[in-house]
Amino acid sequence: MKKINKVLGWVLVLMMVTGCFGTTAFAATVNDDQTITLKIIHTNDTHSRYSYSVKNNTIGYAKLKTIINQEKPDLVVDAGDIFHGQSFATIETGGSIAELMAAVGFDALAPGNHDFNYGSARLLELSTMANTKILGNNVTYSESGKPFFSDDYLIKDIVVDGEVIRIGVFGLISPDIYSDTAPANVAGLTFGTRESVLVAAQQSVAALEAQNCDVIVALTHIGDSDNGTLMRSDAIAEGAPGIDVIVDGHTHDVENREVNGTLIVQTGCYSSAVGEVELTLKKAVALAGRIEVPEAENWEVAPTETVAASETAADDEITAELPELEVSEEIPAEAGWEASESDETDVEGIQVSDEERIESPTPEIQLDATEVTYTVVSKTENLTTVAQATDELIPADPTVTALTAAIEAREDPIKKQVVGNTPVKLGGATEDIWQDVRLGELNLGRALSDSYRFVTGAEIAVENAGGIRAQIPAGEITKGQVIDVLPFGNYLVTKQVTGADIKKMLETSIEIGVNNQIAKDKNDNSWPGNSGSYLQWSGITAAYDLTKPAGQRVYSAKVGGVDLDPNRTYTLACNNYLATSKDYPGLQAAAIINEYSACDEAFINYLQNAGNDRFMAAINTPNVTAGTAPQPVPNPQPVQLGQKQSANNPRTGYGQWGWGLVLGR
């Protein structure tokens, strides 16, 4: 309950003096049945999964539209990584997803790191196509410091029983985005630091409160499963009080927790669920009044000042800071309330002296309509999963279904082009390619890396696990499948890298793989932030021993059958994103020699032109394997007198002659 300010104190005094102060003047009782529920539908990290599929565990846009139609939410938002991820999106650089978003009806979204994959200029175009606001308050131009997105926040007014509930929304993206998209995609932009992002959140809350927002929502593509190395969304909740709900994304988790009075929610990923937040608000009513005073010298109250209504509830006490006034003993009868046509009342009874009665202007009280405010009293989150989105309960919206079919039809001729064939599945042991490719070498990873060597002529090639996003079943390989595997539009580069740095790359990749396995075994969403930097290789054969200390595990490495020379430079091919990775400083520091085609185009070229023998050798021959380092051979001990060496000694390869045999000779 806010204290009534000093100006409102004048109103209290004047009303008491004139006999017009009553229990109903400032607040009405708010009963439990007058509470109001608002609904927020939210998604995150769909990565262009657009259709309903029980097999693929996706709800899709047609059913999302039906959920919206059924629930009639007050706000529909997404927390990022929506425009990119599968060939359906990448063939049209996100345009197909933007069309579906416009049909579904999103109010706002936070920018995800992968939403920049087509370049920052394209993201602005997609916002217009999707007919929605992209809110990223910490995204600015590097040189000018001006905001990159045109909207600082979204304010939406919800009319309930003739009253207005105001929802304010702002957005943030992780300041650690620099390691999550190719540098060229965000050239000329800055995302700040953790400290500056927190300041941006605080300023956004203050701005929305100043706009009299009853509910404040933050859209954050930040997440919570960073293993302590990256910024977390709960830091926003802790450091920027006043946020009612954080709709989160980026880490593909299911979040539903309250931190510092803020509900933080996230639905997982890949359209596996649709979230719905319900907010219950309690109504508060207060009298709004203002004092109007004609211009005069030495009058302590401004000529016109609005008296803000104080929040009140049924049993709240009204506290007023009352000015100290001397009231004349006699109050003229005309000081009573006589409403004029404008409902303004003259008050003449409060005077200190006859002189001031003559010189002081007469204050007038304007009594306006009551002011209504709302307070959030409860917050709950519910998920609609694929299992719950049956055709009986949630039938697909026909309009969105028809639009989806039209987009598929125009893309099909491109996607269905057969570009190769594989006798075996290209991928991991399970259906979770995201996980499998971070834990060990895969036949798909070897084939991709070998295609990079084939196209560039490099001696060694690598592909990072985070760049591989789908598997390919046995049989014909289509262009659409290749794009699904390599959806980021990255292109190939070659660099000259020393053997010593390549050895360090091997060691670093192995260590990342070890940490990834630990995270998998813990099963607590603690995967390292650089889990996607685990490498798939071609052109090198290496063996490592996990019993050795980190950085000393590789005991054998050969290129072209010859031992890796630490002093020699080798031509290495990789995608342009990996080429700038801070996880591999030697690779990052090396200059680019040449740039080549997109990675998906290189793989298609390989499938069509490298020949079956090379392809089969790549998918069947491991490159980097675990083993046991050979034990060092100790220096031979001096031979004692009377001893000879023989070929049956287990230590040296030679045996000892017994003394008896020696003496018997």
Side-chain angles (χ1 to χ4, degrees), residues 421-428 441-451 453 472-475 477 536-539 603 606-607 610-625:
N421 191 287
T422 176
V424 297
K425 170 189 170 185
L426 300 179
E441 187 176 282
L442 304 184
N443 59 3
L444 177 57
R446 291 193 294 267
L448 292 172
S449 299
D450 195 48
S451 73
R453 283 205 306 131
I472 298 176
I477 302 173
Q536 306 281 319
W537 295 81
S538 175
F603 190 50
Y606 173 77
L607 292 172
N612 190 62
D613 290 345
R614 177 164 180 165
F615 173 69
M616 293 301 296
I619 64 175
N620 289 324
T621 308
N623 293 316
V624 181
T625 57

Side-chain angles (χ1 to χ4, degrees), residues 348-569:
E348 301 175 357
I350 301 180
Q351 296 165 1
V352 176
S353 65
D354 290 338
E355 182 180 353
E356 289 189 7
R357 176 191 296 271
I358 296 171
E359 296 180 357
S360 300
T362 302
E364 296 180 342
I365 301 176
Q366 175 67 47
L367 297 178
D368 295 329
T370 57
E371 178 178 319
V372 178
T373 59
Y374 296 89
T375 303
V376 177
V377 293
S378 70
K379 311 162 190 175
T380 59
E381 162 77 338
N382 296 289
L383 291 181
T384 299
T385 64
V386 174
Q388 296 168 321
T390 62
D391 291 338
E392 293 76 20
L393 296 176
I394 304 176
D397 178 80
T399 302
V400 178
T401 298
L403 176 59
T404 302
I407 296 172
E408 289 177 329
R410 73 183 184 224
E411 291 185 351
D412 267 354
I414 300 171
K415 293 175 63 176
K416 289 182 176 177
Q417 295 175 10
V418 176
V419 296
N421 191 287
T422 176
V424 297
K425 170 189 170 185
L426 300 179
T430 73
E431 293 305 310
D432 190 347
I433 185 65
W434 187 95
Q435 178 174 278
D436 290 347
V437 77
R438 285 165 166 76
L439 297 174
E441 187 176 282
L442 304 184
N443 59 3
L444 177 57
R446 291 193 294 267
L448 292 172
S449 299
D450 195 48
S451 73
Y452 302 166
R453 283 205 306 131
F454 175 77
V455 168
T456 64
E459 297 164 278
I460 303 169
V462 287
E463 173 63 82
N464 59 299
I468 301 174
R469 291 292 171 150
Q471 307 187 83
I472 298 176
E476 290 184 337
I477 302 173
T478 65
K479 186 173 185 178
Q481 289 174 318
V482 173
I483 295 173
D484 287 343
V485 172
L486 300 164
F488 299 125
N490 291 329
Y491 58 89
L492 291 176
V493 300
T494 53
K495 290 190 168 192
Q496 288 286 333
V497 185
T498 67
D501 283 329
I502 291 170
K503 170 76 159 31
K504 290 178 182 177
M505 290 176 64
L506 283 164
E507 294 281 2
T508 299
S509 176
I510 291 164
E511 177 66 8
I512 292 172
V514 168
N515 292 331
N516 289 347
Q517 185 65 55
I518 292 171
K520 176 184 180 296
D521 294 340
K522 288 170 63 178
N523 193 30
D524 65 351
N525 291 321
S526 62
W527 287 74
N530 66 345
S531 66
S533 292
Y534 181 78
L535 298 178
Q536 306 281 319
W537 295 81
S538 175
I540 191 169
T541 56
Y544 60 93
D545 188 342
L546 288 178
T547 67
K548 302 299 182 182
Q552 302 175 34
R553 292 176 171 138
V554 176
Y555 61 86
S556 174
K558 297 179 182 294
V559 177
V562 179
D563 286 342
L564 183 70
D565 184 348
N567 299 313
R568 187 197 143 185
T569 57

Side-chain angles (χ1 to χ4, degrees), residues 95 236 260 539:
I236 303 299
N260 195 30

Side-chain angles (χ1 to χ4, degrees), residues 136-148:
N137 294 42
N138 61 308
V139 186
T140 61
Y141 287 102
S142 302
E143 292 187 2
S144 66
K146 294 181 178 179
F148 175 67

